[in-house]
Amino acid sequence: MSEANIANRLVEMAKIHPYKKAVICPAGRDRDGRIAYTHLTFEQLNEQSNRLAAGLMGRGVTKGIRTILMVKPSLDFFTIIFALFKAGAIPVVVDPGMGVTRMAACLKESEPEAFIGIPLAHVLRKIRPSFFGNVRIFVTAGRRWFWGGATIRKLIKRGRSPFEMAETRTDDTAAILFTTGSTGPAKGVIYTHGNFDAQLRQIQTHLNLTGDEIDLSTFPLFALFWPALGITSVIPDMDPTRPAFVDPVKIVEAIRNQGVTTMFASPALLNRVGAYGRKKGIKVPSLKRVICAGAPVFPENIEQFSSILEEDAEIQTPYGATEAVPVLSITGNEILSETRQLSAKGYGMCVGHPINNLPVRIIRISDQPISEWSDDLEMEDGRIGEIVVSGALVTGGYFKRPADDAISKILDKDRFWHRMGDVGWKDEKGRFWFCGRKAHRVVIGPDEAPMFTIPCEAIFNGHPDVYRSALVGIGTKGYKTPVICIELKRGVTPLKWGRKKIRKELIALAAENPLTRKINTILFHKSFPVDIRHNSKIFREQLAIWAEKGLN
C-alpha cells in the first residue's frame, strides 16, 4: 500500500467505521413529496472504489493518466474520484459553470488521455471533438448511448477487491483543478498527494472536526475532504453551478432530515438560505458550524444567516484560493462585534489570522516576476501590499504554464512563496485585511496612491439604496480614471429622476472620504456580471469595458 496516496485515508476510515454512512445522496420523492435517500457506507465506498480502480486500470487508466472528470455530485462522483486516486491516475476537474467554450478550452489544455463523464458530457465530446483530440479511453457514468467505451457500472462489476493501490510519492501529481479565471484565463492547478494531505490536516485541526460530524457540502470539490476524514457527506438537492438560485426549502430539508452539523456554502447560497430562514422564522438546531468561502463574505450576510442558528453555532469565513486553501480564517462573531464597523469605513475586509501559524506575509506590490525572496520585500504592518503564503498545502505550480509559474512563485532557499494576487494589510493584532485583487487596483497617477476595490466600494455600499458597487478604471493607456458602477437594491426606482438623486448623494459620499474623493463618475448597471461557481465574484474587467463604452 502506498501511504503517500491520499486514498489511503479512505482505506483507514473503512477499517475504523465500516458500517457508518460515508456519502448520502437524494434519490427521488414519493407521491407525497417526501424525499428518499441512498447511501454508501465507508466499507462500500472503499469496496466500490477498489473495484472501479481495478476496472479502470484494465482499460488503461493507470498511474499518471490525466483523466477528465465530468460527473455531477453523486455516489458515482465519490467512487470515481477515489478510484482514480487509487489507480494513481490524475483527475482533471473543470467547473462546468464557466461555460462550454471556456470549459472545453481548459480540457484541451490539460492534454487528457481518458474521459469519464455523464451522458450529456459525452454529447459535448461528440459536438466538440477537437477539444478531446488526445483522449483514447472513454467511460460513461450512467447510461451509454450511441458512443463506445465502457460504463462505470460494468467496470465495477468486472473489478476486484481488495485492490493494491498505485505507489505514489508525496510530490506526485494527484489532480489538476482549474481556477475559475476571474481575473484572467482559467489555469490548471497541480495538486500533489502531499498538498491534499496537508489541506486535510489544516482543516481538521482548525475546525476541530470529529468523526461524529455530518456535512452538507454545496460545493462538490470541498465535499471530497469529508470521507477522507471519516465524516459523513450529504449531497444536497441542488444545481451546484447555480448556488445563488438554490431552493432554500431543499437545503433546510436536508439539514433537518440528516441532522447536518457542518455546512460549506458560498456567500450567494448563504444569503439566499438565510433570507428565507429569517423570513419564515426557521431554526436549524443541529447545525453547529458553517464554513462560508469562495468570495468576500459581507457582515450583513453573516448576521442574516446567524438568525437561523442556535447561539453556540459558529460561522467561519476562511480565506484562500484554488492554489492555497485554507490560509486565514475569522469567525462571524468577531466580524459582527468588531471588524464590520471598520470595514464600513474603508479598512477592507478582515479575513483573520493565519490558520495553524501558516507563514503569511505582505510584500510590496509589483506586476513583475520576483525570482528570489529577500526580506526587504516585506511591507511594515498597516501598509497595503500583496498577500503571499508558504507551506505544505500550497500548490507548486500550474500545468504547462511556466510564465504563470514565474509570476506567482518566489523561491526562498528550500521553499517557495505563492503570490495570492490579492492585496491587503496586517493590523497590530496580527489579523490580515483583504482589500481586493491586485489586478483590479486603479492607478490614477504617478504621485497618487492606488485605489483598491474593497475599501472604496465599502463607502458606496453604505448607501441605503445600493445593493453592491464595483470600482473600475477606464482609459486605454497609462493611468486610469476611477469609475464606480452601482447595482441598486431590488425595488429601488429605475426612473431617471430617481437615479439622478441617488447619483448626487453618492457623489457627496465620495467627496467626504479621502479614499474616494477622486471619484466623480457614477454609472448604474442593471445586474453585475459575476462568476458562476460562487455567484459573488464580480467580473470587473467586463464592467470596465461596459463603463468605457457608456462614457464614450
Side-chain angles (χ1 to χ4, degrees), residues 178-481:
F178 273 83
T179 66
T180 54
S182 58
T183 55
K187 299 179 285 292
V189 180
I190 299 173
Y191 268 79
T192 65
H193 288 274
N195 290 145
F196 277 132
D197 186 70
Q199 279 188 327
L200 288 169
R201 295 177 190 277
Q202 182 90 324
I203 291 169
Q204 186 173 30
T205 56
H206 173 62
L207 297 176
N208 195 28
L209 296 170
T210 69
D212 296 328
E213 307 288 350
I214 299 174
D215 175 77
L216 182 73
S217 275
T218 59
F219 181 47
L221 285 180
F222 206 86
L224 288 174
F225 288 121
W226 307 128
L229 293 173
I231 293 170
T232 299
S233 184
V234 179
I235 300 171
D237 182 8
M238 63 171 285
D239 180 352
T241 68
R242 294 168 61 83
F245 303 98
V246 69
D247 184 346
V249 175
K250 293 180 178 178
I251 299 299
V252 172
E253 176 185 52
I255 294 171
R256 287 176 166 174
N257 284 353
Q258 300 299 332
V260 168
T261 62
T262 299
M263 182 175 81
F264 178 89
S266 71
L269 186 143
L270 204 73
N271 181 56
R272 189 165 174 85
V273 177
Y276 167 79
R278 173 182 275 182
K279 181 179 179 180
K280 298 292 184 179
I282 288 170
K283 288 286 186 179
V284 283
S286 69
L287 194 57
K288 301 300 182 185
R289 185 186 300 102
V290 179
I291 306 159
C292 187
V297 188
F298 293 101
E300 296 76 17
N301 203 345
I302 295 171
E303 186 175 50
Q304 179 177 253
F305 197 87
S306 295
S307 68
I308 74 173
L309 301 174
E310 297 296 330
E311 288 187 6
D312 61 342
E314 184 176 75
I315 297 178
Q316 289 268 355
T317 62
Y319 163 87
T322 306
E323 298 89 339
V325 64
V327 175
L328 307 161
S329 189
I330 186 173
T331 65
N333 288 337
E334 186 173 358
I335 291 172
L336 296 180
S337 65
E338 183 179 349
T339 67
R340 72 182 302 179
Q341 294 87 351
L342 300 176
S343 292
K345 296 177 181 179
Y347 280 58
M349 188 170 293
C350 189
V351 286
H353 291 89
I355 299 173
N356 298 332
N357 296 314
L358 192 71
V360 184
R361 304 285 187 270
I362 301 293
I363 66 171
R364 65 173 181 264
I365 296 174
S366 170
D367 294 315
Q368 302 304 313
I370 303 173
S371 60
E372 190 172 351
W373 177 267
S374 63
D375 291 340
D376 62 3
L377 288 171
E378 285 194 60
M379 303 283 286
E380 62 187 37
D381 290 355
R383 296 190 62 189
I384 296 177
E386 183 175 6
I387 303 171
V388 298
V389 59
S390 183
L393 63 77
V394 182
T395 56
Y398 303 105
F399 183 72
K400 293 193 174 182
R401 281 184 170 267
D404 289 306
D405 288 342
I407 199 72
S408 66
K409 309 297 180 186
I410 306 173
L411 293 179
D412 184 11
K413 299 176 183 176
D414 58 347
R415 64 175 177 176
F416 65 88
W417 295 86
H418 173 72
R419 303 170 70 180
M420 297 292 284
D422 292 330
V423 290
W425 60 283
K426 187 170 75 169
D427 66 17
E428 69 281 358
K429 295 183 179 181
R431 298 177 303 194
F432 287 78
W433 294 72
F434 170 72
C435 294
R437 293 291 289 170
K438 180 175 68 174
H440 291 156
R441 75 189 191 281
V442 178
V443 181
I444 60 176
D447 301 317
E448 301 281 354
M451 302 179 72
F452 302 104
T453 55
I454 300 299
C456 289
E457 290 162 7
I459 307 306
F460 297 94
N461 291 343
H463 190 284
D465 292 331
V466 172
Y467 170 51
R468 56 187 169 189
S469 62
L471 172 70
V472 299
I474 63 170
T476 55
K477 294 182 180 180
Y479 301 110
K480 304 290 185 179
T481 300

Side-chain angles (χ1 to χ4, degrees), residues 40-216:
L40 289 175
T41 65
F42 280 95
E43 186 176 75
Q44 289 171 330
L45 179 56
N46 187 51
E47 173 86 4
Q48 288 205 9
S49 58
N50 275 345
R51 291 184 175 278
L52 181 56
L56 287 170
M57 290 185 74
R59 299 288 297 189
V61 183
T62 54
K63 184 178 179 180
I65 296 295
R66 289 183 294 278
T67 306
I68 296 170
L69 182 59
M70 295 183 69
V71 179
K72 292 181 178 180
S74 59
L75 300 185
D76 276 350
F77 178 79
F78 285 83
T79 302
I80 294 167
I81 199 82
F82 279 105
L84 289 171
F85 289 153
K86 289 179 176 182
I90 302 170
V92 177
V93 183
V94 180
D95 191 341
M98 66 171 59
V100 173
T101 300
R102 295 183 71 205
M103 178 179 63
C106 291
L107 298 178
K108 182 178 181 180
E109 182 177 313
S110 67
E111 299 178 0
E113 297 178 72
F115 179 94
I116 302 175
I118 58 174
L120 190 60
H122 283 275
V123 172
L124 171 64
R125 175 172 66 84
K126 287 296 184 179
I127 295 174
R128 300 284 184 93
S130 62
F131 291 106
F132 302 88
N134 296 326
V135 177
R136 53 184 177 81
I137 305 166
F138 304 102
V139 180
T140 303
R143 184 179 179 183
R144 187 180 62 200
W145 296 349
F146 53 85
W147 50 82
T151 65
I152 293 296
R153 179 176 296 179
K154 288 185 178 180
L155 290 179
I156 290 175
K157 286 183 177 180
R158 294 173 183 173
R160 67 185 185 278
S161 184
F163 168 82
E164 187 173 347
M165 70 178 67
E167 290 287 338
T168 55
R169 298 170 300 178
T170 301
D171 58 355
D172 281 346
T173 300
I176 297 175
L177 311 181
F178 273 83
T179 66
T180 54
S182 58
T183 55
K187 299 179 285 292
V189 180
I190 299 173
Y191 268 79
T192 65
H193 288 274
N195 290 145
F196 277 132
D197 186 70
Q199 279 188 327
L200 288 169
R201 295 177 190 277
Q202 182 90 324
I203 291 169
Q204 186 173 30
T205 56
H206 173 62
L207 297 176
N208 195 28
L209 296 170
T210 69
D212 296 328
E213 307 288 350
I214 299 174
D215 175 77
L216 182 73

